DNA sequence: AATCAAGTGCAACTTGGTTGCATTTGATTA
DNA sequence: TAATCAAATGCAACCAAGTTGCACTTGATT
């Protein structure tokens, strides 16, 4: 069993932790504990999480400042490690970008329970025609409705 | 020249004002002055506006409470007179639904100046395949990048 | 081990949007 | 056309997501 220690904090590494550490290091920026831990959580999750949800899960055992988490998420978005999704409740949801799961797919947002699901089989047209002078960075397709549990 | 008077306020009617009044009355709910005036403004505009922008334009000559405007916009969205668009800045933008301009089209959001443009020629597939038990209400396609002025 | 910019924690702040409640107003009916 | 009353409005206070400034800590480099 591998253990990682930082100050008084002792952490059990798992596969996701190692993977997260590697991904953070690959960016060239500093591989800090909070960055690795946050990315690790997002690697484990299978649906997009809000800042609040991430904070609650990470704070079960150890402290993590709200602001730091905002900055970590912002940094990870900029570094293309994760992507964020806008919902009807004005709250961002975050999900990891793996090689298999890039952000070129659609999202389903349940307007009753606000849960977000990725519709991976939805493929987006890569080169839509835009007005002259417009430059494309990203396409986001969001489907709204009720999920299976809320129907 | 047609004039409409309510309390001390005197209003010059134009084509859009008449049109707005008609649309509000068609809903069956009460045709209040603020509803008509707000819809009138959105009919005149050719690109989506934020709550802030609407407020500023309406308050040039006459007072309109922030909260009332929020409620008017919410009501109009519910009544399908307008639709709202989520941007990267967490701010809703509102645009009128006319017969010619329904909300079944894509939006372009400039990530530098935050201006939103409607991409009317983008047609959305009406019946995408969803997981079993999922119910579709609405599809939203957002294209992000730089607009002609910001490129 | 020493160094120091990058990263973090804390407090205070900004902003978009909401809630509760007293007052006003548009449509209806007498 | 006046009386009526639920629907709509205005005001104040509130909430929650996200941001800023600054002192303190830490990961990588020497």
């Amino acid at each position: 069993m591998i253990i990682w220690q930082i100050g008084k904090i002792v952490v059990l590494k798992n596969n996701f932790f190692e993977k997260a550490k590697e991904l953070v290091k690959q960016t060239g920026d500093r591989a800090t504990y909070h960055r690795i831990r946050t990315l690790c959580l997002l690697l484990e999750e299978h649906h997009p999480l809000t800042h609040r949800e991430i904070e609650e899960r990470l704070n079960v055992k150890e402290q993590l400042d709200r602001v730091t988490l905002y900055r970590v998420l912002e940094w990870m978005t900029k570094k293309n490690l994760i992507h964020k999704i806008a919902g009807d409740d004005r709250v961002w949801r975050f999900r990891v970008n793996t090689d298999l799961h890039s952000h070129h797919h659609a999202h389903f947002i349940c307007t009753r329970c606000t849960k977000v699901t990725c519709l991976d089989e939805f493929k987006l047209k890569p080169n839509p025609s835009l007005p002259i002078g417009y430059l494309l960075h990203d396409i986001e397709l969001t489907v709204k409705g009720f999920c299976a549990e809320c129907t």
Side-chain angles (χ1 to χ4, degrees), chain A residues 16 22 30 36 38 42 44 57 59 62 64 76-77 88 97 110 114 117 119 123 125-126 131 134 137 140-141 144:
Chain A
F16 290 118
E22 192 192 318
R30 278 164 60 171
I36 299 169
T38 306
L42 288 173
E44 289 174 292
R57 287 173 211 216
N59 276 338
E62 315 156 29
L64 169 56
M76 290 203 293
T77 306
D88 264 11
N97 293 331
C110 178
T114 74
T117 322
L119 304 172
K123 288 296 167 209
K125 207 174 21 165
Y134 279 58
H137 288 164
E140 210 170 77
L141 197 149
K144 296 178 191 173

Side-chain angles (χ1 to χ4, degrees), chain A residues 31-96:
Chain A
T32 69
Y33 179 60
H34 294 316
R35 284 176 179 174
I36 299 169
R37 197 158 67 113
T38 306
L39 184 55
C40 178
L41 174 69
L42 288 173
L43 281 168
E44 289 174 292
E45 283 296 329
H46 39 284
H47 75 271
L49 297 177
T50 63
H51 172 276
R52 224 349 136 71
E53 289 165 337
I54 298 169
E55 196 186 354
E56 278 165 5
R57 287 173 211 216
L58 290 181
N59 276 338
V60 173
K61 293 202 169 182
E62 315 156 29
Q63 284 290 95
L64 169 56
D65 190 72
R66 261 165 35 82
V67 179
T68 302
L69 181 53
Y70 275 117
R71 293 197 263 230
V72 164
L73 292 170
E74 189 186 17
W75 175 83
M76 290 203 293
T77 306
K78 207 174 65 194
K79 292 290 170 181
N80 265 312
L81 292 169
I82 61 174
H83 64 283
K84 58 180 182 178
I85 307 156
D88 264 11
D89 52 4
R90 301 193 334 128
V91 180
W92 292 114
R93 285 174 176 76
F94 298 89
R95 194 175 204 254
V96 79

Side-chain angles (χ1 to χ4, degrees), chain A residues 95-108:
Chain A
R95 194 175 204 254
V96 79
N97 293 331
T98 66
D99 297 310
L100 294 168
H101 186 93
S102 80
H103 58 144
H104 293 297
H105 61 272
H107 297 114
F108 182 91

Side-chain angles (χ1 to χ4, degrees), chain A residues 99-139:
Chain A
D99 297 310
L100 294 168
H101 186 93
S102 80
H103 58 144
H104 293 297
H105 61 272
H107 297 114
F108 182 91
I109 303 189
C110 178
T111 48
R112 193 180 285 165
C113 71
T114 74
K115 208 178 104 176
V116 176
T117 322
C118 294
L119 304 172
D120 295 299
E121 71 280 5
F122 256 79
K123 288 296 167 209
L124 304 185
K125 207 174 21 165
N127 291 318
S129 59
L130 290 177
I132 295 167
Y134 279 58
L135 186 65
L136 183 140
H137 288 164
D138 196 16
I139 303 181

